[in-house]
Amino acid sequence: MSACRQDALWARKGGAAGEELQLPQGLRLAARFDEPPQAPGLLADPPISRWIATAERNRRLLLEGGVEVAGLPLDRIRRSLREEGSAAPVPLAAGDPPVLVTGHQPILYHPGVWVKLFAGASAADAGGGRLLNLVVDSDVADLSVPVPALSSDPAAEPGEGPARPGVPELHRLQPAGLGPDELPLERRAAPDAGAWRAFLEQVRALLAPLAPQAAARLDRLAAVTPEPRESVAAFFSRVRRGWEEGASLPGPTGYRELPVSALSGTLAFRLWVVEWAENARFWREAYNEALRQYRILHRLRYPANPFPDLEETPEGVEIPFWSLPPPEGGDVEAGVPGGPQGSAGRRPVLACALGDRPHGAAGEAHGGRIILRSTGPEGVRTLAELPTGDPLGAARALAQAGVALRPKAIPLTLFARLFLGDLFIHGTGGARYETIGDFLLAARWPEAFGREVPRYAVCSATLRLEGAFRGHPLAELAARRERLEDLLRGVEHNPQRVVADLAGPLGEEAARAGMRPDPELTALAARKEELVRRIQSGGDRKALGQAIREVNGELAERLRPLAGHLARELAAARGAEAVLAERGCPFFLFEPEELWRLLEASSGEPGLPGGR
């Protein structure tokens, strides 16, 4: 295998002739620390009413900044993307409608992710714009979802009072037959019709005792059935849209969707790969420096957080893209999952420079080559050989090689910000790491973005399950948690005071435990109070202490039914509190109307949380 040249082939000229790509001195990453809002709440930064104006400002920065990618003008690459007939309504000129872009893995996600579609559609409709949703089917993901349920509570021990109906808890469920989590979503098959029905029935059975109305609404999901050879990414996207469209007050319906697997087959994406491959050493230096600063600002010790550094080996310089091996019996570019043996996981990609040194006034390379390689359990594999100095030729060579490349997180969102639209809408997690993208924009194109980079929006929401449990005692049970903790501590440490309350504040709990005040119990409590007074008055501490321990033992035995009851109620209250506090429950436990109401309630936007 040829070794990569450690020479100036990597130092392609950026803008003006004679200027090499170098990391600007003193460039600093600005940290963000956005957090999800308290429930029920909405975070939008900048306020949604300013998204269209922000998009228009971003377009001017992008199209008037003289930005070149892989040696080609940005607007030319945007035009090619629109002319290829993709779902993306790519804006090209000042008069085009504004385009907002968001995206996420196509899983059964929670309202904090879902709200980006509502907010984006609302802003686009108000400003005469369009919304594009990137379906990140190139990623891996855990497809299970938390579903509230009542556990089968074991019977109480003899003498510990009656058993309760069950303890609220969260079960994690997913349909059978989805394949391993390490495969990208575009390579994982949708569940078959039987597995999908079984999943819905399992969810319904768990929900029905707690939230019968929410359980009944699952019929809307049953109307969406898997298609032959459909990926789970495509199926779950249809499930979400079916849930939005089938509601009495529908969710957003006018947005377009573009899978990353489809986007990766465009000329614009291949040119983006060429940009990173031809400038691999510069991109690696800038990327790793941004990660270094990010870890310092966020006080992260683990070196792979938020992403691993890009490596350099004798086989090449790593670029932040994945290679997908060909699927067995499938079509990777058509999004058709293949068989299990051909559906191996993603592989890192290396770029290796070979051939002549660059020459000429503008530093253009002649006769050189870039070899793209992947690494994996099977060793190092050559993916494609690209000519240098000819970006369109390199893109054609990449297409002819039939290689399936997919972007990692940072190059994906940078592609969206540069080529797909005018404003990208992140959630809180994405907003934090997108500061790395800002750093890279300013480092690669300092003339255009050295003072100001195109801004992105941040949007998130927190909805919890209180609405789904209207009329159910779950909320009342959760509210009892602190009181139950106090009562149980009293039984354990001050049982004589608990006895005094059995006929008053503790009467209801005692009745639930099958206890009633009786003269013998009252006499034991009085005996304990008397012994404590005698100790406090200077009596024989050793003898009185032994007497107190004996009385405590008798009280504990007599109060065991109450203690057992309180312990079970406390476990149930904590479970109810956890269920009601869970932010990650799937969108199908909520109605679109709840998110529309949240946006409407937050329309007095100067008061939105998280604005800067």
Side-chain angles (χ1 to χ4, degrees):
M1 178 176 294
S2 303
C4 295
R5 293 185 60 90
Q6 308 295 319
D7 62 18
L9 182 56
W10 292 111
R12 280 183 54 100
K13 302 304 183 276
E19 290 184 6
E20 293 183 354
L21 286 183
Q22 295 178 347
L23 188 62
Q25 295 296 314
L27 189 60
R28 292 290 175 263
L29 184 142
R32 291 189 67 122
F33 299 94
D34 302 273
E35 295 293 340
Q38 294 297 312
L42 175 74
L43 166 68
D45 179 27
I48 296 169
S49 62
R50 288 175 23 208
W51 285 6
I52 294 299
T54 305
E56 291 169 346
R57 181 176 181 83
N58 284 350
R59 186 183 299 184
R60 289 193 294 271
L61 277 173
L62 287 163
L63 298 184
E64 297 174 7
V67 174
E68 291 191 352
V69 177
L72 296 174
L74 177 68
D75 59 348
R76 182 178 174 186
I77 300 176
R78 280 191 169 211
R79 185 174 300 279
S80 77
L81 186 58
R82 187 156 86 173
E83 290 174 351
E84 280 187 280
S86 70
V90 180
L92 300 177
D96 288 347
V99 176
L100 311 182
V101 184
T102 190
H104 202 269
Q105 296 95 336
I107 60 178
L108 304 174
Y109 45 60
H110 58 79
V113 175
W114 198 24
V115 73
K116 295 187 294 182
L117 295 173
F118 289 73
S122 178
D125 289 347
R130 298 171 179 173
L131 175 64
L132 175 69
N133 183 43
L134 274 178
V135 179
V136 189
D137 58 349
S138 54
D139 214 343
V140 297
D142 175 8
L143 296 178
S144 66
V145 294
V147 177
L150 284 178
S151 71
S152 52
D153 192 39
E157 294 293 327
E160 289 193 350
R164 75 176 328 280
V167 175
E169 61 184 13
L170 291 164
H171 289 205
R172 294 202 69 90
L173 304 177
Q174 71 177 48
L178 297 181
D181 286 351
E182 62 267 21
L183 294 183
L185 297 172
E186 62 181 285
R187 292 286 180 91
R188 296 175 70 175
D192 62 32
W196 181 239
R197 285 194 303 270
F199 168 74
L200 295 181
E201 286 307 314
Q202 191 177 11
V203 174
R204 194 192 315 271
L206 292 177
L207 272 180
L210 288 169
Q213 291 181 340
R217 292 199 301 264
L218 294 178
D219 289 342
R220 292 198 342 241
L221 294 184
V224 185
T225 56
E227 297 177 352
R229 304 190 72 197
E230 186 175 27
S231 73
V232 70
F235 177 60
F236 277 3
S237 295
R238 290 199 300 112
V239 167
R240 187 196 68 250
R241 300 207 75 153
W243 186 257
E244 292 166 354
E245 294 166 4
S248 57
L249 179 61
T253 56
Y255 61 92
R256 300 187 189 183
E257 293 199 302
L258 177 61
V260 171
S261 57
L263 175 68
S264 300
T266 63
L267 172 61
F269 179 80
R270 292 194 290 270
L271 288 169
W272 187 229
V273 174
V274 171
E275 160 65 40
W276 281 79
E278 290 200 339
N279 301 298
R281 185 161 290 124
F282 163 81
W283 280 114
R284 174 178 176 267
E285 179 187 5
Y287 189 94
N288 290 354
E289 173 60 19
L291 286 173
R292 185 188 71 82
Q293 294 189 30
Y294 184 98
R295 292 178 189 128
I296 291 172
L297 290 169
H298 290 267
R299 300 181 181 179
L300 302 175
R301 296 180 180 272
Y302 185 53
N305 197 343
F307 313 110
D309 285 351
L310 298 177
E311 301 292 337
E312 181 169 2
T313 72
E315 286 76 31
V317 177
E318 184 181 5
I319 58 176
F321 293 81
W322 297 111
S323 167
L324 299 186
E328 180 181 324
D331 183 345
V332 67
E333 296 300 348
V336 178
Q341 295 181 3
S343 297
R346 305 174 298 178
R347 304 285 189 263
V349 177
L350 307 175
C352 176
L354 299 173
D356 299 337
R357 290 175 175 267
H359 59 84
E364 292 299 330
H366 298 278
R369 295 171 295 155
I370 300 291
I371 308 299
L372 291 185
R373 294 167 173 154
S374 66
T375 63
E378 67 279 2
V380 179
R381 172 174 170 256
T382 297
L383 300 174
E385 184 173 317
L386 314 179
T388 61
D390 179 9
L392 292 174
R396 283 194 296 271
L398 196 56
Q400 291 165 0
V403 179
L405 298 181
R406 303 292 185 261
K408 294 186 180 181
I410 292 295
L412 174 59
T413 53
L414 283 182
F415 184 94
R417 295 171 68 186
L418 285 169
F419 303 112
L420 283 178
D422 302 308
L423 178 69
F424 192 84
I425 307 166
H426 264 300
T428 53
R432 287 193 291 272
Y433 75 64
E434 194 60 32
T435 57
I436 297 169
D438 286 347
F439 182 98
L440 295 179
L441 288 174
R444 174 63 180 87
W445 295 281
E447 297 86 357
F449 306 132
R451 290 183 175 272
E452 182 182 5
V453 296
R455 191 174 178 185
Y456 54 90
V458 185
C459 185
S460 186
T462 299
L463 280 182
R464 298 196 172 118
L465 290 172
E466 294 93 341
F469 292 101
R470 291 189 185 100
H472 193 278
L474 201 67
E476 178 186 345
L477 178 60
R480 293 172 57 209
R481 193 258 308 162
E482 291 187 8
R483 171 66 173 157
L484 289 166
E485 287 176 340
D486 291 341
L487 292 174
L488 194 56
R489 277 193 297 267
V491 170
E492 293 170 351
H493 302 294
N494 294 290
Q496 74 282 1
R497 297 179 186 173
V498 171
V499 171
D501 289 340
L502 287 179
L506 265 175
E508 183 179 352
E509 299 295 348
R512 290 176 179 175
M515 286 191 63
R516 289 183 176 83
D518 64 72
E520 186 176 344
L521 192 57
T522 303
L524 280 171
R527 172 70 172 154
K528 168 75 180 288
E529 294 282 10
E530 174 61 23
L531 291 170
V532 170
R533 282 195 296 271
R534 289 171 60 185
I535 272 192
Q536 292 170 344
S537 300
D540 184 340
R541 299 184 67 86
K542 183 176 181 181
L544 291 170
Q546 177 61 32
I548 287 174
R549 284 190 289 275
E550 291 174 0
V551 172
N552 277 344
E554 292 183 63
L555 283 170
E557 181 61 27
R558 294 293 303 274
L559 291 173
R560 195 153 67 98
L562 178 61
H565 163 75
L566 291 175
R568 289 188 296 278
E569 288 296 298
L570 178 58
R574 286 172 173 165
E577 194 172 50
V579 166
L580 293 178
E582 175 60 44
R583 184 174 181 266
C585 288
F587 61 79
F588 60 74
L589 298 186
F590 305 87
E591 287 287 14
E593 181 180 357
E594 295 177 73
L595 285 174
W596 288 130
R597 284 203 309 263
L598 195 60
L599 263 64
E600 183 179 9
S602 302
S603 59
E605 296 194 320
L608 284 177
R612 55 174 188 178

